[in-house]
Amino acid sequence: MPDLNPDEFDAVLFDLNGTFMFGQDRFGPDERYGATYRALGGERLSDDEVRTIVDATIRDLTEKYHDSTWHDRYPGVPETLRTRAESRHLPLSEIALVTDVIACYELGDIDEDHVAALRRFARSHRIGIVSNIWAPKPRWVDRLAERGLLELFATIVFSSDGPHMKPSPVLFRQARDDLDVPADRILFVGDDPVFDIQGAGAVGMRTVLVGSAESGSITADWRFRDVPHLAASHW
């Protein structure tokens, strides 16, 4: 494996969840979805109803997420709520509330080491995000702004803006076109061998796998412990 030379790239794209945002996808029996629903202003549904709806929605989204036949027609949270038997009777105002409940638990946070690393990348390269998220993006945009990162990104591509989900090439090509940079001059950094490394590599980007995931037959161009380690080693 040749040494990574930042001068070979004009831009660096990052996955989000598990790459520089952590503590996401907090779905499980101990989570208090009903309390969150009420904190957001919900009154119509009981705690048990909220749990039933959230659990059914997450099961549906998870199943489709791991089925490649859905990667270019992925429904996302609001559409799933509008079509499932548990929630399709709800008015649009309730659909929006439950969608926001799910977003609260899907959203993670960004620690100071990763904030500093991203600022280091942005000093020498244009940077961007290509991320799979299920709920609409406002809470993620707000979190990036809270951490002082939003203005650093030249492009942010969230899957929930449309029907495509990584590893679909559509999202990677959208980011490439936004940057107006040839794919082979873009480095993609992600934590998932299939959704990130295989997806980015298929459109001609070179790739860095971070984290501890087993890559199997999928080979990234480089591998690092995490984003701060990559930044300290080469930026």
Side-chain angles (χ1 to χ4, degrees), residues 34-203:
T36 301
Y37 167 78
R38 255 160 269 295
L40 294 172
E43 298 177 348
R44 172 174 175 151
L45 301 173
S46 70
D47 287 2
D48 286 345
E49 287 173 317
V50 175
R51 175 163 298 282
T52 295
I53 291 168
V54 171
D55 286 347
T57 301
I58 296 305
R59 282 196 304 270
D60 194 334
L61 290 168
T62 300
E63 181 179 340
K64 290 181 173 69
Y65 191 72
H66 295 287
D67 181 348
S68 62
T69 66
W70 287 94
H71 289 166
D72 285 299
R73 55 190 183 107
Y74 197 76
V77 174
E79 182 179 343
T80 301
L81 288 169
R82 288 193 297 267
T83 56
R84 285 203 59 87
E86 297 86 354
S87 50
R88 63 189 177 202
H89 64 286
L90 296 175
L92 292 179
S93 59
E94 288 295 308
I95 294 289
L97 268 174
V98 178
T99 294
D100 203 23
V101 170
I102 290 173
C104 289
Y105 289 90
E106 187 184 358
L107 179 70
D109 207 350
I110 309 163
D111 63 39
E112 290 302 321
D113 287 345
H114 284 80
V115 169
L118 290 167
R119 291 189 175 280
R120 188 165 182 167
F121 283 104
R123 286 199 292 267
S124 60
H125 287 69
R126 299 175 74 199
I127 66 172
I129 295 171
V130 182
S131 177
N132 284 346
I133 59 175
W134 294 349
K137 66 187 177 185
R139 286 193 176 273
W140 282 263
V141 172
D142 289 348
R143 181 56 47 85
L144 291 169
E146 288 167 5
R147 298 295 177 259
L149 296 172
L150 186 61
E151 72 278 3
L152 299 184
F153 295 105
T155 180
I156 300 177
V157 179
F158 284 121
S159 63
S160 61
D161 281 342
H164 305 287
M165 179 75 66
K166 293 185 300 183
S168 170
V170 173
L171 301 178
F172 297 99
R173 289 171 181 159
Q174 180 181 336
R176 177 202 63 192
D177 292 347
D178 289 347
L179 294 167
D180 194 22
V181 172
D184 63 358
R185 296 286 300 178
I186 298 173
L187 182 67
F188 191 91
V189 182
D191 72 305
D192 190 280
V194 175
F195 292 98
D196 296 324
I197 303 309
Q198 181 175 288
V203 300

